[in-house]
Amino acid sequence: MDTKDIYDKKTLGTYIWNHITKKKLPRYQWTFLEGRVRIRFVAYSRKLHITNGLCFVVLVMSWLRAWGIEEEVFWQEDWGQEWGGDNPNKLRELDEKYYRPYGAVLGRAPKGRKGYQGRVERSHRTDDEEFYIPLLLSINDEKELLRYAGKWRNFSSIRRVHFGKGMNGKPPLQRLRELAMSFLRSSPAFCPSS
């Protein structure tokens, strides 16, 4: 998991940056990425705060549980203040009070080891190159941002091919289905219809 500051002048350039600040679009993108199939959950906020981080955790975990996914979920983060920072007491409290009740575990990427967050960071780069840079100038308010972002998420999950480890040029939803069928076939209760 990671947060992205959309107001990145170096990446977007001055013209796009001026447009999005003038339109007062939400500044932060919250991302949860499932590492094996690259399915992502995304939310937006105006502030980077631990309360928003916890709301995002509850949102994602509630969705997963509503769909019957009961396995423990590992949330790896990068020491950001929005995830508890480096205070061990705060992290223990967050893990016990918010993560464990949902069947989640709060984990940390080793400090200074960017590769541990590589997949989610790469997804942010793709968002910049294929969503924000080409489309932000045509987005004039929060409602439009959410509509365009929804379309982008659908495209990137259903049709956009991925060539990362284990993806074999398949879109995330197709890879998820393959893994689910593989899991079901290996289950002793699986009985295919004739």
Side-chain angles (χ1 to χ4, degrees):
M1 66 183 173
D2 198 18
T3 51
K4 171 181 178 42
D5 186 349
I6 299 167
Y7 288 27
D8 181 351
K9 198 173 197 176
K10 181 180 174 189
T11 300
L12 299 178
T14 303
Y15 193 67
I16 296 173
W17 185 86
N18 285 337
H19 173 78
I20 63 174
T21 55
K22 181 178 154 187
K23 298 298 180 180
K24 298 180 180 166
L25 296 177
R27 181 170 182 164
Y28 298 101
Q29 173 185 309
W30 300 78
T31 307
F32 176 89
L33 179 132
E34 195 287 326
R36 289 170 294 184
V37 300
R38 310 314 193 273
I39 292 285
R40 295 192 297 158
F41 295 85
V42 173
Y44 293 92
S45 71
R46 297 187 184 288
K47 295 188 179 193
L48 190 64
H49 191 272
I50 195 165
T51 302
N52 290 338
L54 292 173
C55 288
F56 185 59
V57 169
V58 170
L59 175 74
V60 172
M61 292 306 298
S62 295
W63 190 92
L64 292 173
R65 298 313 183 217
W67 281 94
I69 299 168
E70 297 299 327
E71 290 77 20
E72 187 173 74
V73 176
F74 183 76
W75 285 71
Q76 179 174 290
E77 55 88 12
D78 63 358
W79 299 80
Q81 292 302 312
E82 70 275 21
W83 308 114
D86 57 4
N87 179 332
N89 294 329
K90 184 69 166 175
L91 292 169
R92 188 172 35 261
E93 177 190 345
L94 291 171
D95 196 41
E96 291 171 5
K97 192 172 179 181
Y98 297 102
Y99 286 83
R100 296 287 176 176
Y102 277 99
V105 175
L106 177 60
R108 327 280 322 266
K111 278 190 174 183
R113 303 286 301 271
K114 291 269 184 195
Y116 280 81
Q117 292 287 94
R119 289 181 178 154
V120 73
E121 292 291 349
R122 180 62 179 99
S123 79
H124 289 166
R125 179 176 161 192
T126 300
D127 287 340
D128 284 336
E129 293 171 351
E130 298 180 26
F131 176 57
Y132 293 122
I133 292 172
L135 293 174
L136 275 175
L137 288 174
S138 60
I139 297 173
N140 292 304
D141 59 35
E142 186 175 313
K143 189 175 180 178
E144 279 186 322
L145 173 67
L146 296 176
R147 188 173 75 245
Y148 277 94
K151 289 178 181 181
W152 166 241
R153 294 294 158 247
N154 285 340
F155 171 78
S156 64
S157 295
I158 297 168
R159 296 185 37 217
R160 186 183 184 280
V161 297
H162 290 259
F163 292 97
K165 184 179 178 182
M167 293 301 291
N168 305 320
K170 296 174 182 165
L173 190 58
Q174 181 181 351
R175 190 68 185 117
L176 177 63
R177 285 182 178 141
E178 289 174 358
L179 286 175
M181 287 308 295
S182 174
F183 173 77
L184 286 174
R185 283 188 196 105
S186 67
S187 171
F190 181 71
C191 181
S193 59
S194 44

